[in-house]
Every structure is written in structure tokens, then in C-alpha cells.
Amino acid sequence: MEQQEIYELMSRFEHGSIQSIKISSQDFSIEMTKAAPAAPVPAASAVSCVPVVPVKNEEAEMPAITAPMVGTFYVASDPDQPPFVSVGDRVKKGQTVCLIEAMKMMSEIKAPCDCVIEEVVKEDGQLAAFGDALLRYRPC
């Protein structure tokens, strides 16, 4: 089984509904199990009326550059090089903002529009699943 196939299997398992899987062949074996969901908490006997005030979550509203594949996230092309972008940087559409390494292949991740980088979500060298937020930005 190739590394990319393993990453895809892990991502699908993580987001799927099955709780356990085991795959074996002559020279390869993998087993994945999810933790059991927490037991439901019994409802409280007393009911209180407290007004709920919606909290504005700016992070959820801010657009993100997401991982187009499963792989390792890198902020620079080499550990000795400066990062492609930093928080507060203004970038142009199509400018490289980070890299994703999958199966020893580096893929440049480009800015979708002219924008300002607001947050670097993942840490350098961290595994990113398909669709994970890598960088948050504010369009210009």
C-alpha cells in the first residue's frame, strides 16, 4: 500500500461512521480504531431560563486556504529558508504561500486571491488532512 493511499484511508476513516477497520496482506497490515463516544449526560432535573447570546466567531467566518490533499505542511521550501508568508503579509493571487509534501512530492499551495494573511493555522511539519485549514486570510 502506498503512503498516499494510507493517508487517504486514514482521512476517510476519521470522517466516516465505522469505528474499527483492519486491513492485512502478505507484507502489510494496518488497524485503526476510534475511541468510543462519551456516554450521554443525563438531563438536569431543574430547568433554568437563561438567555442565549450568540457569540460571533470571527475565525469561522474568515476564509481559509485549505489542504487539497493529505500530506505534510511546510511554511518554507527548506528549513534554512524564510517562510513563504507570515501573518500580516499581503500576497497576490497565485503567489505560493506554503507547500504540501505527499509521497515525496512537493506541491505548491497558492493564494486564491489578493489577500492579507491573518493566521498560520498548522505548524510547520504537521500532517494535514484533505480540507484542513492551513492559513486564514482576509481578501483585499
Side-chain angles (χ1 to χ4, degrees):
M1 188 172 238
E2 298 289 325
Q3 184 178 10
Q4 181 65 29
E5 292 172 316
I6 295 170
Y7 286 142
E8 289 175 18
L9 179 63
M10 289 169 55
S11 178
R12 286 181 182 218
F13 176 75
E14 179 182 343
H15 296 97
S17 61
I18 61 172
Q19 296 298 311
S20 179
I21 187 170
K22 183 177 183 177
I23 300 172
S24 297
S25 67
Q26 292 176 346
D27 59 342
F28 177 82
S29 178
I30 187 170
E31 185 173 351
M32 295 182 279
T33 305
K34 291 181 185 174
V41 177
S45 58
V47 176
S48 63
C49 294
V50 178
V52 176
V53 178
V55 177
K56 185 176 179 182
N57 186 351
E58 292 180 20
E59 186 175 290
E61 294 174 11
M62 193 176 300
I65 298 171
T66 59
M69 65 187 87
V70 175
T72 306
F73 170 76
Y74 293 109
V75 296
S77 59
D78 188 50
D80 299 333
Q81 297 294 317
F84 289 109
V85 295
S86 298
V87 173
D89 284 356
R90 179 170 287 231
V91 297
K92 297 281 185 192
K93 179 179 181 175
Q95 180 179 336
T96 300
V97 294
C98 62
L99 298 173
I100 295 284
E101 177 191 14
M103 296 182 62
K104 304 208 189 291
M105 296 286 295
M106 293 291 192
S107 298
E108 293 182 346
I109 309 302
K110 300 185 183 290
C113 61
D114 290 355
C115 58
V116 175
I117 302 300
E118 293 291 327
E119 178 186 9
V120 179
V121 179
K122 292 282 185 187
E123 291 183 34
D124 190 42
Q126 188 176 13
L127 182 65
F130 175 79
D132 279 358
L134 305 173
L135 303 161
R136 295 204 184 278
Y137 65 92
R138 180 175 34 88
C140 295

